[in-house]
Amino acid sequence: MRATREYHSLDQARQTVADRLDRARVPGLFDRFDWFASLHHHCFPDMPVRILHGQEDGQEGWLFLLSPAPRRVSAIANWYSFNWSPVFDGAPDAAVQHRLVEAMARQLLKSHAQIDLYPLEETGPLVSALRQAGWFTVQRPMGGRYLLDVNGRSFADYWAARPGKLRNLVRRKGRNSPYALSIESRLTDALWRDYVDVHARSWKQAEPDAGLDFLRDLAGRESAAGTLRLGFARIDGRAVATQFWTIEHGVALIHKLSHDSAHDGGSPGTLLSHRMFAQAIDQDRVSRIDYGTGDNGYKRDWMERRIALHRIDAFNPRYVSNWLPAARTAISALVG
């Protein structure tokens, strides 16, 4: 027996989810209810949500979506999200997952004209379910993610395989370096002030307050769980580079890097990366390090594998106004 419900608020959905999508039951950070709730609260507070909940014989599936425009829904995701996908509870097999997603997609077909989903790793099953539900669906590659599979190596073995240019840089800049390096696993107000101070002086565009509030919320949760790794490079006591990682179930996620551009010549960010990778591999014994979304060139020096990310655009053919945009999107995907 299959049933599908749609929720228009996270508070309403939370009552149904209870503890089924919490840390104890969901291993992946980006599939947890708290991840979606915090992302929406801090980064999309004025945007309605559409949360689909499917059930079949004790198995459950969820689609966490935003409604950025009338009759249109998108993934609750942004640049902080390494991946978005349907979320399942009860470990349903592939056939049940397909039926749950198809049923939720049919529910959306009743009231929505368009769906866009990004970033996605696996698209085949999702595209198939959307099409069988009646959506005209286009998928296309859009960016990628860089990964390092440690495969039991020590940090020394990993480091010996890095490009000579990177190893030489760390050797030169590390010799008589003025920077004190540290990695913290427990967040304090003082540490967060240091983090914000570095980011304000970073070469990156300044983080919006909403983004910093989201990261502070994430850091607090991960600190309480013991998964936070907040790295700093300091000179004369002042932080000039910082890195925000989390490590859980043998996987290290690199969420955010920042450094004071006035110290580019000393490469404190590179020296801090060297320390962070060393601790993750030799002390935390991770099996994988994930550098997140983005095809930044420097990631290739540290990582060994790239996976493509994809976007799905789905159009409800019952809306005549969708026909031309659907055709243009399909042509664009073919040309691209």
Side-chain angles (χ1 to χ4, degrees), residues 61-75:
W62 299 81
L63 298 178
F64 287 89
L65 304 168
L66 296 165
S67 184
R71 298 192 304 275
R72 178 184 160 207
V73 288
S74 305

Side-chain angles (χ1 to χ4, degrees), residues 23 32 34 184-188 216-229 244-248:
R23 186 183 300 272
R32 295 177 188 148
D34 283 346
E184 310 291 342
S185 60
R186 296 296 178 186
L187 185 66
T188 65
R216 177 64 177 81
D217 189 25
L218 175 62
R221 289 200 312 275
E222 300 310 304
S223 171
T227 65
L228 178 68
R229 301 294 183 270
F244 183 159
W245 294 34
T246 56
I247 295 181
E248 190 173 15

Side-chain angles (χ1 to χ4, degrees), residues 146-153 158 286-290 302-305 307:
Y146 280 90
L147 306 176
L148 170 70
D149 295 311
V150 178
N151 295 323
R153 288 174 289 179
Y158 155 78
V286 300
S287 59
R288 172 175 289 179
I289 299 176
D290 191 331
W302 295 91
M303 314 306 273
E304 295 177 347
R305 181 163 68 93
I307 59 173

Side-chain angles (χ1 to χ4, degrees), residues 79-80 191-213 215 230-233 238-244 255-262:
W79 51 88
Y80 301 118
L191 288 174
W192 191 251
R193 285 194 296 270
D194 286 345
Y195 178 89
V196 172
D197 181 49
V198 174
H199 202 281
R201 292 176 283 118
S202 175
W203 55 272
K204 296 176 181 289
Q205 184 177 357
E207 191 81 38
D209 288 343
L212 284 172
D213 290 343
L215 290 174
L230 198 60
F232 291 94
R238 188 178 191 186
V240 295
T242 186
Q243 298 194 9
F244 183 159
H255 297 280
K256 201 76 176 176
L257 313 180
S258 299
H259 74 269
D260 183 343
S261 57

Side-chain angles (χ1 to χ4, degrees), residues 14-319:
R14 190 188 296 274
Q15 296 175 10
T16 303
V17 172
D19 60 354
R20 295 199 297 280
L21 297 183
D22 64 5
R23 186 183 300 272
R25 296 187 60 155
V26 178
L29 171 66
F30 306 109
D31 292 336
R32 295 177 188 148
F33 187 88
D34 283 346
W35 170 265
F36 292 113
S38 181
L39 196 62
H40 178 261
H41 175 72
H42 291 292
C43 301
F44 307 104
D46 299 322
M47 199 172 292
V49 297
R50 295 292 182 268
I51 302 170
L52 279 294
H53 177 209
Q55 293 179 290
E56 179 180 331
D57 298 330
Q59 310 296 310
E60 299 182 71
W62 299 81
L63 298 178
F64 287 89
L65 304 168
L66 296 165
S67 184
R71 298 192 304 275
R72 178 184 160 207
V73 288
S74 305
I76 299 183
N78 64 5
W79 51 88
Y80 301 118
S81 306
F82 290 25
N83 182 45
W84 182 94
S85 68
V87 180
F88 300 99
D89 180 50
D93 62 28
V96 174
Q97 290 186 22
H98 186 282
R99 291 196 295 271
L100 287 170
V101 174
E102 182 182 345
M104 291 186 284
R106 288 187 188 280
Q107 178 73 15
L108 286 170
L109 199 69
K110 297 176 183 178
S111 56
H112 292 83
Q114 294 184 37
I115 302 172
D116 58 86
L117 306 173
Y118 175 83
L120 306 170
E121 285 184 37
E122 301 290 337
T123 58
L126 187 51
V127 166
S128 176
L130 287 166
R131 287 175 176 169
Q132 290 194 11
W135 291 88
F136 175 77
T137 305
V138 179
Q139 61 176 326
R140 47 184 162 160
M142 188 172 288
R145 229 168 71 221
Y146 280 90
L147 306 176
L148 170 70
D149 295 311
V150 178
N151 295 323
R153 288 174 289 179
S154 67
F155 177 73
D157 290 338
Y158 155 78
W159 188 245
R162 294 309 92 218
K165 182 178 179 180
L166 177 62
R167 289 185 287 113
N168 290 335
L169 176 64
V170 169
R171 182 165 53 250
R172 285 189 295 103
K173 298 299 182 179
R175 191 181 301 126
N176 300 318
S177 170
Y179 304 111
L181 307 178
S182 63
I183 302 173
E184 310 291 342
S185 60
R186 296 296 178 186
L187 185 66
T188 65
D189 290 341
L191 288 174
W192 191 251
R193 285 194 296 270
D194 286 345
Y195 178 89
V196 172
D197 181 49
V198 174
H199 202 281
R201 292 176 283 118
S202 175
W203 55 272
K204 296 176 181 289
Q205 184 177 357
E207 191 81 38
D209 288 343
L212 284 172
D213 290 343
F214 169 76
L215 290 174
R216 177 64 177 81
D217 189 25
L218 175 62
R221 289 200 312 275
E222 300 310 304
S223 171
T227 65
L228 178 68
R229 301 294 183 270
L230 198 60
F232 291 94
R234 290 184 169 86
I235 184 168
D236 297 328
R238 188 178 191 186
V240 295
T242 186
Q243 298 194 9
F244 183 159
W245 294 34
T246 56
I247 295 181
E248 190 173 15
H249 302 299
V251 177
L253 305 175
I254 306 177
H255 297 280
K256 201 76 176 176
L257 313 180
S258 299
H259 74 269
D260 183 343
S261 57
H263 288 264
D264 283 353
S267 301
T270 301
L271 295 177
L272 181 58
S273 288
H274 182 266
R275 175 67 65 85
M276 299 286 290
F277 273 76
Q279 177 166 311
I281 293 172
D282 281 351
Q283 296 181 37
D284 290 308
R285 302 288 184 182
V286 300
S287 59
R288 172 175 289 179
I289 299 176
D290 191 331
Y291 228 135
T293 60
D295 283 310
N296 312 76
Y298 63 84
K299 294 181 180 180
R300 290 191 292 271
D301 290 342
W302 295 91
M303 314 306 273
E304 295 177 347
R305 181 163 68 93
R306 179 187 183 274
I307 59 173
L309 295 174
H310 297 81
R311 173 187 170 109
I312 288 176
D313 291 282
F315 301 86
N316 188 336
R318 299 174 187 175
Y319 290 82

